[in-house]
mmCIF file with all atom_site columns, all heavy atoms in Angstrom:
data_model
loop_
_atom_site.group_PDB
_atom_site.id
_atom_site.type_symbol
_atom_site.label_atom_id
_atom_site.label_alt_id
_atom_site.label_comp_id
_atom_site.label_asym_id
_atom_site.label_entity_id
_atom_site.label_seq_id
_atom_site.pdbx_PDB_ins_code
_atom_site.Cartn_x
_atom_site.Cartn_y
_atom_site.Cartn_z
_atom_site.occupancy
_atom_site.B_iso_or_equiv
_atom_site.pdbx_formal_charge
_atom_site.auth_seq_id
_atom_site.auth_comp_id
_atom_site.auth_asym_id
_atom_site.auth_atom_id
_atom_site.pdbx_PDB_model_num
ATOM 1   N N   . ALA A 1 1  ? 0.837   -1.205 0.000  1.00 91.00 ? 877 ALA A N   1
ATOM 2   C CA  . ALA A 1 1  ? 0.000   0.000  0.000  1.00 91.00 ? 877 ALA A CA  1
ATOM 3   C C   . ALA A 1 1  ? 0.869   1.251  0.000  1.00 91.00 ? 877 ALA A C   1
ATOM 4   O O   . ALA A 1 1  ? 1.921   1.299  0.652  1.00 91.00 ? 877 ALA A O   1
ATOM 5   C CB  . ALA A 1 1  ? -0.915  -0.001 1.207  1.00 91.00 ? 877 ALA A CB  1
ATOM 6   N N   . GLU A 1 2  ? 0.408   2.241  -0.724 1.00 93.00 ? 878 GLU A N   1
ATOM 7   C CA  . GLU A 1 2  ? 1.058   3.548  -0.739 1.00 93.00 ? 878 GLU A CA  1
ATOM 8   C C   . GLU A 1 2  ? 0.278   4.498  0.169  1.00 93.00 ? 878 GLU A C   1
ATOM 9   O O   . GLU A 1 2  ? -0.918  4.295  0.417  1.00 93.00 ? 878 GLU A O   1
ATOM 10  C CB  . GLU A 1 2  ? 1.113   4.098  -2.164 1.00 93.00 ? 878 GLU A CB  1
ATOM 11  C CG  . GLU A 1 2  ? 1.993   3.287  -3.102 1.00 93.00 ? 878 GLU A CG  1
ATOM 12  C CD  . GLU A 1 2  ? 3.440   3.237  -2.642 1.00 93.00 ? 878 GLU A CD  1
ATOM 13  O OE1 . GLU A 1 2  ? 3.920   4.261  -2.104 1.00 93.00 ? 878 GLU A OE1 1
ATOM 14  O OE2 . GLU A 1 2  ? 4.079   2.184  -2.799 1.00 93.00 ? 878 GLU A OE2 1
ATOM 15  N N   . PRO A 1 3  ? 0.916   5.544  0.677  1.00 94.00 ? 879 PRO A N   1
ATOM 16  C CA  . PRO A 1 3  ? 0.217   6.471  1.576  1.00 94.00 ? 879 PRO A CA  1
ATOM 17  C C   . PRO A 1 3  ? -1.015  7.090  0.930  1.00 94.00 ? 879 PRO A C   1
ATOM 18  O O   . PRO A 1 3  ? -0.986  7.470  -0.242 1.00 94.00 ? 879 PRO A O   1
ATOM 19  C CB  . PRO A 1 3  ? 1.280   7.526  1.885  1.00 94.00 ? 879 PRO A CB  1
ATOM 20  C CG  . PRO A 1 3  ? 2.585   6.832  1.668  1.00 94.00 ? 879 PRO A CG  1
ATOM 21  C CD  . PRO A 1 3  ? 2.353   5.877  0.540  1.00 94.00 ? 879 PRO A CD  1
ATOM 22  N N   . LEU A 1 4  ? -2.075  7.177  1.696  1.00 94.00 ? 880 LEU A N   1
ATOM 23  C CA  . LEU A 1 4  ? -3.273  7.861  1.214  1.00 94.00 ? 880 LEU A CA  1
ATOM 24  C C   . LEU A 1 4  ? -3.054  9.363  1.141  1.00 94.00 ? 880 LEU A C   1
ATOM 25  O O   . LEU A 1 4  ? -3.633  10.047 0.287  1.00 94.00 ? 880 LEU A O   1
ATOM 26  C CB  . LEU A 1 4  ? -4.450  7.578  2.154  1.00 94.00 ? 880 LEU A CB  1
ATOM 27  C CG  . LEU A 1 4  ? -5.104  6.198  2.096  1.00 94.00 ? 880 LEU A CG  1
ATOM 28  C CD1 . LEU A 1 4  ? -6.259  6.140  3.089  1.00 94.00 ? 880 LEU A CD1 1
ATOM 29  C CD2 . LEU A 1 4  ? -5.606  5.890  0.689  1.00 94.00 ? 880 LEU A CD2 1
ATOM 30  N N   . LEU A 1 5  ? -2.229  9.890  2.049  1.00 96.00 ? 881 LEU A N   1
ATOM 31  C CA  . LEU A 1 5  ? -2.039  11.329 2.168  1.00 96.00 ? 881 LEU A CA  1
ATOM 32  C C   . LEU A 1 5  ? -0.563  11.675 2.051  1.00 96.00 ? 881 LEU A C   1
ATOM 33  O O   . LEU A 1 5  ? 0.290   10.919 2.551  1.00 96.00 ? 881 LEU A O   1
ATOM 34  C CB  . LEU A 1 5  ? -2.561  11.818 3.527  1.00 96.00 ? 881 LEU A CB  1
ATOM 35  C CG  . LEU A 1 5  ? -4.013  11.464 3.901  1.00 96.00 ? 881 LEU A CG  1
ATOM 36  C CD1 . LEU A 1 5  ? -4.293  11.871 5.340  1.00 96.00 ? 881 LEU A CD1 1
ATOM 37  C CD2 . LEU A 1 5  ? -4.991  12.136 2.953  1.00 96.00 ? 881 LEU A CD2 1
ATOM 38  N N   . PRO A 1 6  ? -0.240  12.796 1.438  1.00 97.00 ? 882 PRO A N   1
ATOM 39  C CA  . PRO A 1 6  ? 1.147   13.261 1.504  1.00 97.00 ? 882 PRO A CA  1
ATOM 40  C C   . PRO A 1 6  ? 1.521   13.552 2.958  1.00 97.00 ? 882 PRO A C   1
ATOM 41  O O   . PRO A 1 6  ? 0.652   13.796 3.801  1.00 97.00 ? 882 PRO A O   1
ATOM 42  C CB  . PRO A 1 6  ? 1.143   14.528 0.653  1.00 97.00 ? 882 PRO A CB  1
ATOM 43  C CG  . PRO A 1 6  ? -0.285  14.973 0.613  1.00 97.00 ? 882 PRO A CG  1
ATOM 44  C CD  . PRO A 1 6  ? -1.109  13.730 0.693  1.00 97.00 ? 882 PRO A CD  1
ATOM 45  N N   . LEU A 1 7  ? 2.807   13.546 3.237  1.00 97.00 ? 883 LEU A N   1
ATOM 46  C CA  . LEU A 1 7  ? 3.248   13.645 4.622  1.00 97.00 ? 883 LEU A CA  1
ATOM 47  C C   . LEU A 1 7  ? 2.738   14.912 5.298  1.00 97.00 ? 883 LEU A C   1
ATOM 48  O O   . LEU A 1 7  ? 2.288   14.857 6.455  1.00 97.00 ? 883 LEU A O   1
ATOM 49  C CB  . LEU A 1 7  ? 4.785   13.592 4.681  1.00 97.00 ? 883 LEU A CB  1
ATOM 50  C CG  . LEU A 1 7  ? 5.390   13.633 6.086  1.00 97.00 ? 883 LEU A CG  1
ATOM 51  C CD1 . LEU A 1 7  ? 4.855   12.511 6.953  1.00 97.00 ? 883 LEU A CD1 1
ATOM 52  C CD2 . LEU A 1 7  ? 6.919   13.586 6.012  1.00 97.00 ? 883 LEU A CD2 1
ATOM 53  N N   . TRP A 1 8  ? 2.785   16.024 4.620  1.00 97.00 ? 884 TRP A N   1
ATOM 54  C CA  . TRP A 1 8  ? 2.339   17.272 5.258  1.00 97.00 ? 884 TRP A CA  1
ATOM 55  C C   . TRP A 1 8  ? 0.858   17.212 5.635  1.00 97.00 ? 884 TRP A C   1
ATOM 56  O O   . TRP A 1 8  ? 0.458   17.665 6.710  1.00 97.00 ? 884 TRP A O   1
ATOM 57  C CB  . TRP A 1 8  ? 2.603   18.478 4.342  1.00 97.00 ? 884 TRP A CB  1
ATOM 58  C CG  . TRP A 1 8  ? 1.758   18.518 3.085  1.00 97.00 ? 884 TRP A CG  1
ATOM 59  C CD1 . TRP A 1 8  ? 2.061   17.987 1.876  1.00 97.00 ? 884 TRP A CD1 1
ATOM 60  C CD2 . TRP A 1 8  ? 0.450   19.103 2.956  1.00 97.00 ? 884 TRP A CD2 1
ATOM 61  N NE1 . TRP A 1 8  ? 1.051   18.194 0.976  1.00 97.00 ? 884 TRP A NE1 1
ATOM 62  C CE2 . TRP A 1 8  ? 0.045   18.895 1.608  1.00 97.00 ? 884 TRP A CE2 1
ATOM 63  C CE3 . TRP A 1 8  ? -0.405  19.797 3.799  1.00 97.00 ? 884 TRP A CE3 1
ATOM 64  C CZ2 . TRP A 1 8  ? -1.176  19.325 1.114  1.00 97.00 ? 884 TRP A CZ2 1
ATOM 65  C CZ3 . TRP A 1 8  ? -1.632  20.240 3.323  1.00 97.00 ? 884 TRP A CZ3 1
ATOM 66  C CH2 . TRP A 1 8  ? -1.999  20.004 2.000  1.00 97.00 ? 884 TRP A CH2 1
ATOM 67  N N   . LEU A 1 9  ? 0.059   16.595 4.749  1.00 98.00 ? 885 LEU A N   1
ATOM 68  C CA  . LEU A 1 9  ? -1.369  16.499 5.035  1.00 98.00 ? 885 LEU A CA  1
ATOM 69  C C   . LEU A 1 9  ? -1.635  15.442 6.115  1.00 98.00 ? 885 LEU A C   1
ATOM 70  O O   . LEU A 1 9  ? -2.542  15.607 6.948  1.00 98.00 ? 885 LEU A O   1
ATOM 71  C CB  . LEU A 1 9  ? -2.135  16.156 3.759  1.00 98.00 ? 885 LEU A CB  1
ATOM 72  C CG  . LEU A 1 9  ? -3.662  16.113 3.878  1.00 98.00 ? 885 LEU A CG  1
ATOM 73  C CD1 . LEU A 1 9  ? -4.207  17.421 4.439  1.00 98.00 ? 885 LEU A CD1 1
ATOM 74  C CD2 . LEU A 1 9  ? -4.294  15.798 2.518  1.00 98.00 ? 885 LEU A CD2 1
ATOM 75  N N   . ALA A 1 10 ? -0.824  14.388 6.128  1.00 98.00 ? 886 ALA A N   1
ATOM 76  C CA  . ALA A 1 10 ? -0.966  13.371 7.178  1.00 98.00 ? 886 ALA A CA  1
ATOM 77  C C   . ALA A 1 10 ? -0.678  13.976 8.551  1.00 98.00 ? 886 ALA A C   1
ATOM 78  O O   . ALA A 1 10 ? -1.353  13.651 9.537  1.00 98.00 ? 886 ALA A O   1
ATOM 79  C CB  . ALA A 1 10 ? -0.036  12.196 6.895  1.00 98.00 ? 886 ALA A CB  1
ATOM 80  N N   . CYS A 1 11 ? 0.314   14.854 8.617  1.00 98.00 ? 887 CYS A N   1
ATOM 81  C CA  . CYS A 1 11 ? 0.630   15.508 9.897  1.00 98.00 ? 887 CYS A CA  1
ATOM 82  C C   . CYS A 1 11 ? -0.527  16.394 10.361 1.00 98.00 ? 887 CYS A C   1
ATOM 83  O O   . CYS A 1 11 ? -0.892  16.388 11.548 1.00 98.00 ? 887 CYS A O   1
ATOM 84  C CB  . CYS A 1 11 ? 1.911   16.315 9.768  1.00 98.00 ? 887 CYS A CB  1
ATOM 85  S SG  . CYS A 1 11 ? 3.403   15.307 9.544  1.00 98.00 ? 887 CYS A SG  1
ATOM 86  N N   . LEU A 1 12 ? -1.100  17.152 9.424  1.00 98.00 ? 888 LEU A N   1
ATOM 87  C CA  . LEU A 1 12 ? -2.251  17.985 9.786  1.00 98.00 ? 888 LEU A CA  1
ATOM 88  C C   . LEU A 1 12 ? -3.448  17.130 10.188 1.00 98.00 ? 888 LEU A C   1
ATOM 89  O O   . LEU A 1 12 ? -4.195  17.479 11.121 1.00 98.00 ? 888 LEU A O   1
ATOM 90  C CB  . LEU A 1 12 ? -2.628  18.885 8.608  1.00 98.00 ? 888 LEU A CB  1
ATOM 91  C CG  . LEU A 1 12 ? -1.645  20.002 8.252  1.00 98.00 ? 888 LEU A CG  1
ATOM 92  C CD1 . LEU A 1 12 ? -2.143  20.783 7.034  1.00 98.00 ? 888 LEU A CD1 1
ATOM 93  C CD2 . LEU A 1 12 ? -1.442  20.939 9.434  1.00 98.00 ? 888 LEU A CD2 1
ATOM 94  N N   . THR A 1 13 ? -3.634  16.010 9.511  1.00 98.00 ? 889 THR A N   1
ATOM 95  C CA  . THR A 1 13 ? -4.732  15.103 9.851  1.00 98.00 ? 889 THR A CA  1
ATOM 96  C C   . THR A 1 13 ? -4.530  14.521 11.245 1.00 98.00 ? 889 THR A C   1
ATOM 97  O O   . THR A 1 13 ? -5.494  14.367 12.015 1.00 98.00 ? 889 THR A O   1
ATOM 98  C CB  . THR A 1 13 ? -4.835  13.979 8.809  1.00 98.00 ? 889 THR A CB  1
ATOM 99  O OG1 . THR A 1 13 ? -5.032  14.552 7.515  1.00 98.00 ? 889 THR A OG1 1
ATOM 100 C CG2 . THR A 1 13 ? -5.980  13.033 9.120  1.00 98.00 ? 889 THR A CG2 1
ATOM 101 N N   . ALA A 1 14 ? -3.277  14.202 11.582 1.00 98.00 ? 890 ALA A N   1
ATOM 102 C CA  . ALA A 1 14 ? -2.983  13.681 12.915 1.00 98.00 ? 890 ALA A CA  1
ATOM 103 C C   . ALA A 1 14 ? -3.268  14.729 13.990 1.00 98.00 ? 890 ALA A C   1
ATOM 104 O O   . ALA A 1 14 ? -3.765  14.397 15.080 1.00 98.00 ? 890 ALA A O   1
ATOM 105 C CB  . ALA A 1 14 ? -1.532  13.232 12.990 1.00 98.00 ? 890 ALA A CB  1
ATOM 106 N N   . VAL A 1 15 ? -2.968  15.991 13.709 1.00 98.00 ? 891 VAL A N   1
ATOM 107 C CA  . VAL A 1 15 ? -3.299  17.071 14.654 1.00 98.00 ? 891 VAL A CA  1
ATOM 108 C C   . VAL A 1 15 ? -4.810  17.137 14.864 1.00 98.00 ? 891 VAL A C   1
ATOM 109 O O   . VAL A 1 15 ? -5.304  17.198 15.995 1.00 98.00 ? 891 VAL A O   1
ATOM 110 C CB  . VAL A 1 15 ? -2.759  18.420 14.147 1.00 98.00 ? 891 VAL A CB  1
ATOM 111 C CG1 . VAL A 1 15 ? -3.311  19.563 14.991 1.00 98.00 ? 891 VAL A CG1 1
ATOM 112 C CG2 . VAL A 1 15 ? -1.237  18.429 14.186 1.00 98.00 ? 891 VAL A CG2 1
ATOM 113 N N   . ALA A 1 16 ? -5.548  17.117 13.754 1.00 98.00 ? 892 ALA A N   1
ATOM 114 C CA  . ALA A 1 16 ? -7.006  17.147 13.856 1.00 98.00 ? 892 ALA A CA  1
ATOM 115 C C   . ALA A 1 16 ? -7.525  15.924 14.608 1.00 98.00 ? 892 ALA A C   1
ATOM 116 O O   . ALA A 1 16 ? -8.465  16.021 15.416 1.00 98.00 ? 892 ALA A O   1
ATOM 117 C CB  . ALA A 1 16 ? -7.625  17.215 12.461 1.00 98.00 ? 892 ALA A CB  1
ATOM 118 N N   . GLY A 1 17 ? -6.902  14.770 14.367 1.00 98.00 ? 893 GLY A N   1
ATOM 119 C CA  . GLY A 1 17 ? -7.301  13.561 15.064 1.00 98.00 ? 893 GLY A CA  1
ATOM 120 C C   . GLY A 1 17 ? -7.054  13.640 16.553 1.00 98.00 ? 893 GLY A C   1
ATOM 121 O O   . GLY A 1 17 ? -7.898  13.221 17.363 1.00 98.00 ? 893 GLY A O   1
ATOM 122 N N   . GLY A 1 18 ? -5.916  14.198 16.952 1.00 98.00 ? 894 GLY A N   1
ATOM 123 C CA  . GLY A 1 18 ? -5.620  14.339 18.375 1.00 98.00 ? 894 GLY A CA  1
ATOM 124 C C   . GLY A 1 18 ? -6.601  15.269 19.070 1.00 98.00 ? 894 GLY A C   1
ATOM 125 O O   . GLY A 1 18 ? -7.052  14.985 20.192 1.00 98.00 ? 894 GLY A O   1
ATOM 126 N N   . ILE A 1 19 ? -6.969  16.358 18.400 1.00 97.00 ? 895 ILE A N   1
ATOM 127 C CA  . ILE A 1 19 ? -7.925  17.296 18.983 1.00 97.00 ? 895 ILE A CA  1
ATOM 128 C C   . ILE A 1 19 ? -9.305  16.642 19.097 1.00 97.00 ? 895 ILE A C   1
ATOM 129 O O   . ILE A 1 19 ? -10.001 16.782 20.112 1.00 97.00 ? 895 ILE A O   1
ATOM 130 C CB  . ILE A 1 19 ? -7.995  18.583 18.147 1.00 97.00 ? 895 ILE A CB  1
ATOM 131 C CG1 . ILE A 1 19 ? -6.660  19.338 18.244 1.00 97.00 ? 895 ILE A CG1 1
ATOM 132 C CG2 . ILE A 1 19 ? -9.144  19.468 18.583 1.00 97.00 ? 895 ILE A CG2 1
ATOM 133 C CD1 . ILE A 1 19 ? -6.548  20.519 17.306 1.00 97.00 ? 895 ILE A CD1 1
ATOM 134 N N   . ALA A 1 20 ? -9.710  15.926 18.060 1.00 97.00 ? 896 ALA A N   1
ATOM 135 C CA  . ALA A 1 20 ? -11.016 15.258 18.099 1.00 97.00 ? 896 ALA A CA  1
ATOM 136 C C   . ALA A 1 20 ? -11.054 14.194 19.184 1.00 97.00 ? 896 ALA A C   1
ATOM 137 O O   . ALA A 1 20 ? -12.045 14.070 19.912 1.00 97.00 ? 896 ALA A O   1
ATOM 138 C CB  . ALA A 1 20 ? -11.324 14.647 16.734 1.00 97.00 ? 896 ALA A CB  1
ATOM 139 N N   . LEU A 1 21 ? -9.971  13.425 19.305 1.00 97.00 ? 897 LEU A N   1
ATOM 140 C CA  . LEU A 1 21 ? -9.893  12.421 20.375 1.00 97.00 ? 897 LEU A CA  1
ATOM 141 C C   . LEU A 1 21 ? -10.118 13.072 21.735 1.00 97.00 ? 897 LEU A C   1
ATOM 142 O O   . LEU A 1 21 ? -10.891 12.577 22.565 1.00 97.00 ? 897 LEU A O   1
ATOM 143 C CB  . LEU A 1 21 ? -8.519  11.743 20.356 1.00 97.00 ? 897 LEU A CB  1
ATOM 144 C CG  . LEU A 1 21 ? -8.334  10.458 19.565 1.00 97.00 ? 897 LEU A CG  1
ATOM 145 C CD1 . LEU A 1 21 ? -6.884  10.013 19.644 1.00 97.00 ? 897 LEU A CD1 1
ATOM 146 C CD2 . LEU A 1 21 ? -9.247  9.350  20.059 1.00 97.00 ? 897 LEU A CD2 1
ATOM 147 N N   . MET A 1 22 ? -9.420  14.159 21.993 1.00 96.00 ? 898 MET A N   1
ATOM 148 C CA  . MET A 1 22 ? -9.529  14.848 23.279 1.00 96.00 ? 898 MET A CA  1
ATOM 149 C C   . MET A 1 22 ? -10.943 15.371 23.514 1.00 96.00 ? 898 MET A C   1
ATOM 150 O O   . MET A 1 22 ? -11.482 15.278 24.621 1.00 96.00 ? 898 MET A O   1
ATOM 151 C CB  . MET A 1 22 ? -8.518  16.002 23.315 1.00 96.00 ? 898 MET A CB  1
ATOM 152 C CG  . MET A 1 22 ? -8.536  16.836 24.589 1.00 96.00 ? 898 MET A CG  1
ATOM 153 S SD  . MET A 1 22 ? -9.771  18.188 24.589 1.00 96.00 ? 898 MET A SD  1
ATOM 154 C CE  . MET A 1 22 ? -9.213  19.162 23.194 1.00 96.00 ? 898 MET A CE  1
ATOM 155 N N   . THR A 1 23 ? -11.581 15.887 22.457 1.00 96.00 ? 899 THR A N   1
ATOM 156 C CA  . THR A 1 23 ? -12.887 16.511 22.608 1.00 96.00 ? 899 THR A CA  1
ATOM 157 C C   . THR A 1 23 ? -13.965 15.488 22.945 1.00 96.00 ? 899 THR A C   1
ATOM 158 O O   . THR A 1 23 ? -15.023 15.844 23.460 1.00 96.00 ? 899 THR A O   1
ATOM 159 C CB  . THR A 1 23 ? -13.254 17.280 21.331 1.00 96.00 ? 899 THR A CB  1
ATOM 160 O OG1 . THR A 1 23 ? -12.159 18.130 20.971 1.00 96.00 ? 899 THR A OG1 1
ATOM 161 C CG2 . THR A 1 23 ? -14.481 18.145 21.528 1.00 96.00 ? 899 THR A CG2 1
ATOM 162 N N   . GLY A 1 24 ? -13.700 14.229 22.688 1.00 95.00 ? 900 GLY A N   1
ATOM 163 C CA  . GLY A 1 24 ? -14.660 13.198 23.061 1.00 95.00 ? 900 GLY A CA  1
ATOM 164 C C   . GLY A 1 24 ? -14.736 12.937 24.547 1.00 95.00 ? 900 GLY A C   1
ATOM 165 O O   . GLY A 1 24 ? -15.706 12.338 25.034 1.00 95.00 ? 900 GLY A O   1
ATOM 166 N N   . PHE A 1 25 ? -13.735 13.377 25.305 1.00 94.00 ? 901 PHE A N   1
ATOM 167 C CA  . PHE A 1 25 ? -13.700 13.158 26.747 1.00 94.00 ? 901 PHE A CA  1
ATOM 168 C C   . PHE A 1 25 ? -14.374 14.325 27.472 1.00 94.00 ? 901 PHE A C   1
ATOM 169 O O   . PHE A 1 25 ? -14.490 15.425 26.929 1.00 94.00 ? 901 PHE A O   1
ATOM 170 C CB  . PHE A 1 25 ? -12.253 13.038 27.229 1.00 94.00 ? 901 PHE A CB  1
ATOM 171 C CG  . PHE A 1 25 ? -11.583 11.753 26.835 1.00 94.00 ? 901 PHE A CG  1
ATOM 172 C CD1 . PHE A 1 25 ? -11.067 11.566 25.558 1.00 94.00 ? 901 PHE A CD1 1
ATOM 173 C CD2 . PHE A 1 25 ? -11.443 10.720 27.751 1.00 94.00 ? 901 PHE A CD2 1
ATOM 174 C CE1 . PHE A 1 25 ? -10.449 10.383 25.196 1.00 94.00 ? 901 PHE A CE1 1
ATOM 175 C CE2 . PHE A 1 25 ? -10.819 9.528  27.401 1.00 94.00 ? 901 PHE A CE2 1
ATOM 176 C CZ  . PHE A 1 25 ? -10.328 9.360  26.117 1.00 94.00 ? 901 PHE A CZ  1
ATOM 177 N N   . PRO A 1 26 ? -14.808 14.113 28.736 1.00 91.00 ? 902 PRO A N   1
ATOM 178 C CA  . PRO A 1 26 ? -15.296 15.237 29.536 1.00 91.00 ? 902 PRO A CA  1
ATOM 179 C C   . PRO A 1 26 ? -14.184 16.271 29.693 1.00 91.00 ? 902 PRO A C   1
ATOM 180 O O   . PRO A 1 26 ? -13.004 15.907 29.695 1.00 91.00 ? 902 PRO A O   1
ATOM 181 C CB  . PRO A 1 26 ? -15.642 14.592 30.878 1.00 91.00 ? 902 PRO A CB  1
ATOM 182 C CG  . PRO A 1 26 ? -15.830 13.142 30.576 1.00 91.00 ? 902 PRO A CG  1
ATOM 183 C CD  . PRO A 1 26 ? -14.888 12.840 29.458 1.00 91.00 ? 902 PRO A CD  1
ATOM 184 N N   . SER A 1 27 ? -14.514 17.563 29.803 1.00 85.00 ? 903 SER A N   1
ATOM 185 C CA  . SER A 1 27 ? -15.851 18.082 29.955 1.00 85.00 ? 903 SER A CA  1
ATOM 186 C C   . SER A 1 27 ? -16.585 18.332 28.645 1.00 85.00 ? 903 SER A C   1
ATOM 187 O O   . SER A 1 27 ? -17.816 18.504 28.642 1.00 85.00 ? 903 SER A O   1
ATOM 188 C CB  . SER A 1 27 ? -15.794 19.400 30.737 1.00 85.00 ? 903 SER A CB  1
ATOM 189 O OG  . SER A 1 27 ? -15.013 20.353 30.030 1.00 85.00 ? 903 SER A OG  1
ATOM 190 N N   . SER A 1 28 ? -15.878 18.381 27.516 1.00 89.00 ? 904 SER A N   1
ATOM 191 C CA  . SER A 1 28 ? -16.573 18.565 26.237 1.00 89.00 ? 904 SER A CA  1
ATOM 192 C C   . SER A 1 28 ? -17.561 17.432 26.020 1.00 89.00 ? 904 SER A C   1
ATOM 193 O O   . SER A 1 28 ? -18.715 17.642 25.656 1.00 89.00 ? 904 SER A O   1
ATOM 194 C CB  . SER A 1 28 ? -15.564 18.620 25.094 1.00 89.00 ? 904 SER A CB  1
ATOM 195 O OG  . SER A 1 28 ? -14.681 19.695 25.252 1.00 89.00 ? 904 SER A OG  1
ATOM 196 N N   . ASP A 1 29 ? -17.092 16.194 26.206 1.00 89.00 ? 905 ASP A N   1
ATOM 197 C CA  . ASP A 1 29 ? -17.968 15.024 26.256 1.00 89.00 ? 905 ASP A CA  1
ATOM 198 C C   . ASP A 1 29 ? -18.762 14.826 24.974 1.00 89.00 ? 905 ASP A C   1
ATOM 199 O O   . ASP A 1 29 ? -19.889 14.335 25.009 1.00 89.00 ? 905 ASP A O   1
ATOM 200 C CB  . ASP A 1 29 ? -18.911 15.127 27.458 1.00 89.00 ? 905 ASP A CB  1
ATOM 201 C CG  . ASP A 1 29 ? -19.332 13.755 27.977 1.00 89.00 ? 905 ASP A CG  1
ATOM 202 O OD1 . ASP A 1 29 ? -18.612 12.774 27.691 1.00 89.00 ? 905 ASP A OD1 1
ATOM 203 O OD2 . ASP A 1 29 ? -20.351 13.666 28.661 1.00 89.00 ? 905 ASP A OD2 1
#
């Protein structure tokens, strides 16, 4: 398999993923 995203976009996606992960927990919940 080849990468779905170029590295720069994968890094930005990982940032968005980390923020979304956190927002699922209280107090944002």
Side-chain angles (χ1 to χ4, degrees):
E878 294 299 324
L880 285 181
L881 306 173
L883 182 57
W884 68 269
L885 184 55
C887 292
L888 291 178
T889 302
V891 170
I895 293 172
L897 267 177
M898 179 274 299
T899 310
F901 288 80
S903 61
S904 299
D905 208 21

